[in-house]
Amino acid sequence: MILAGVLLKLGGYGLMRVLFFMPDYSVNYNYFWIGLSLYGSFIVGCLCICQVDIKSLIAYSSVAHIGLVLCGIFSINIWGLCGSLVLIIGHGLCSSGLFCLANIIYERVGRRRFIVNRGLIVFIPSLSLFWFILRANNIASPISLNLLVNDYVSFLDWEFLSFVRCNMTMTFLFD
């Protein structure tokens, strides 16, 4: 919970602050870092599909979100920076809540695998409600901050390579 809720977000905010001290470096290499972070987010999103452990899925999802934060930061654009800041806040709340719920399930059941925890809605319906709310916010449902961030990041100026748009769309779908 500490890693997903605090440390990754502090790293993103620190990167925002440091890039203002090195404008030449950030302008010269930003396309490379944007492409690398989108590629990494896509690969991690593909890894999320085959996860069988609850905590691993939440952790990989958090890493994919940080890739989108990097895209917004290295865009050197007010839309990207605002979107990254909102994603840092929104995902920090969602991922911490998801890790807390995963820990509650682990304390009750003793296992973290999805196959073992099927049918938990029968025994703990209120916990299932919180799972639904936090997971829907994590995948950018219409009432969450993450949907706003996807709009912010998609409004960026991506004229340098056409495959970046395809990769960004796939990242949003697998995220």
Side-chain angles (χ1 to χ4, degrees), residues 8 17 24 29 39 111 113:
L8 288 174
R17 300 292 291 177
D24 295 334
Y29 297 108
Y39 179 71
R111 302 273 189 247
R113 295 198 176 262

Side-chain angles (χ1 to χ4, degrees), residues 99-119:
F99 274 118
C100 181
L101 289 176
N103 190 33
I104 289 171
I105 286 178
Y106 181 69
E107 289 174 353
R108 302 284 191 277
V109 178
R111 302 273 189 247
R112 293 189 314 211
R113 295 198 176 262
F114 285 112
I115 193 106
V116 175
N117 292 316
R118 297 183 313 183

Side-chain angles (χ1 to χ4, degrees), residues 1-13 58-59 61-63 65-66 85-100 138:
M1 230 175 352
I2 300 289
L3 176 69
V6 177
L7 293 179
L8 288 174
K9 285 36 174 187
L10 282 176
Y13 181 70
I58 299 168
S61 171
S62 183
V63 170
H65 277 100
I66 294 304
L85 188 62
V86 171
L87 182 61
I88 285 172
I89 293 168
H91 186 68
L93 297 173
C94 283
S95 63
S96 297
L98 286 170
F99 274 118
C100 181
N138 201 28

Side-chain angles (χ1 to χ4, degrees), residues 51-79:
Q51 290 301 311
V52 294
D53 188 55
I54 295 172
K55 282 192 174 183
S56 324
L57 177 69
I58 299 168
Y60 279 126
S61 171
S62 183
V63 170
H65 277 100
I66 294 304
L68 292 177
V69 167
L70 288 176
C71 287
I73 290 172
F74 280 107
S75 69
I76 319 284
N77 188 349
I78 192 68
W79 288 96

